[in-house]
Amino acid sequence: MECIFCNIKDRKAEAEIIFEDEYVLAFLDIQPVNYGHTLVIPKLHYDNFLTVPKDELDKLIHATQFIAGVVKRSLNADGFNVISNNGNPAGQSVYHFHFHIIPRFNKDFTLKPTTKIYGSGTMQEYGSQIRSLISKYKDIYNG
Ligand code: AMP
Ligand code: ZN
């Protein structure tokens, strides 16, 4: 399946690449939320956050932390968002996993979804619903 980020990695498509090592590539988002908006991808293709193997995720997180610090410093930004969209309702449009690093400046814009209020007892219900699957899958977590 054709993947624009694989094509960028393979130099079959152009991008403004800012960082590369054995496992990771980072380049500027073509439609930036703020100038300097950067995408960090694993060189191997994984659809989303849940399918990236742990070792590669470690490397990706490490690179993302490094690049976020450099982007912030080089643009003299006041902060930054690190975001990953997973699945269509979450806004994912390219199904090659990536972190967004969005440099932020004082009072540039708000990024706050509307929030909900838990009704009586419902927070506990959600908690136990999720906890029961945590118990079920703990062996996967523990390796
Ligand atoms: P997402 O919607 O979270 O999957 O993010 C995909 C991002 O990739 C979007 O912000 C796009 O603007 C960006 N994008 C898509 N095609 C390219 C490209 N050829 N070069 C750089 N960024 C791209
Ligand atoms: Zn890909």
Side-chain angles (χ1 to χ4, degrees):
M1 194 188 69
E2 186 82 357
C3 169
I4 181 63
F5 289 178
C6 282
N7 285 345
I8 288 172
K9 185 257 301 175
D10 293 335
R11 305 304 200 267
K12 291 178 186 157
E14 280 193 25
E16 191 62 33
I17 292 170
I18 61 162
F19 175 90
E20 178 168 24
D21 71 9
E22 198 181 339
Y23 302 97
V24 174
L25 187 72
F27 51 91
L28 298 186
D29 194 303
I30 204 165
Q31 285 186 298
V33 175
N34 267 337
Y35 297 125
H37 179 164
T38 296
L39 302 173
V40 189
I41 69 164
K43 282 194 164 175
L44 296 179
H45 180 107
Y46 304 104
D47 284 358
N48 63 55
F49 187 53
L50 297 180
T51 55
V52 184
K54 184 181 174 304
D55 287 358
E56 284 195 58
L57 198 56
D58 286 348
K59 291 179 172 96
L60 198 64
I61 293 267
H62 178 61
T64 301
Q65 184 189 48
F66 169 69
I67 295 160
V70 173
V71 167
K72 179 176 184 290
R73 181 179 277 236
S74 63
L75 301 178
N76 212 9
D78 300 305
F80 58 89
N81 297 106
V82 174
I83 298 173
S84 94
N85 301 319
N86 292 273
N88 184 53
Q92 186 172 12
S93 61
V94 176
Y95 286 79
H96 180 135
F97 181 69
H98 51 282
F99 285 117
H100 294 253
I101 300 169
I102 304 172
R104 299 299 303 273
F105 300 89
N106 290 332
K107 301 194 179 123
D108 56 358
F109 57 89
T110 55
L111 195 72
K112 276 194 187 146
T114 52
T115 55
K116 298 185 188 303
I117 296 169
Y118 281 111
S120 167
T122 51
M123 197 178 199
Q124 289 80 357
E125 282 171 25
Y126 275 92
S128 53
Q129 192 178 329
I130 295 166
R131 269 192 304 272
S132 68
L133 279 202
I134 295 263
S135 315
K136 189 172 169 193
Y137 292 124
K138 219 170 196 161
D139 288 349
I140 296 173
Y141 175 69
N142 291 329

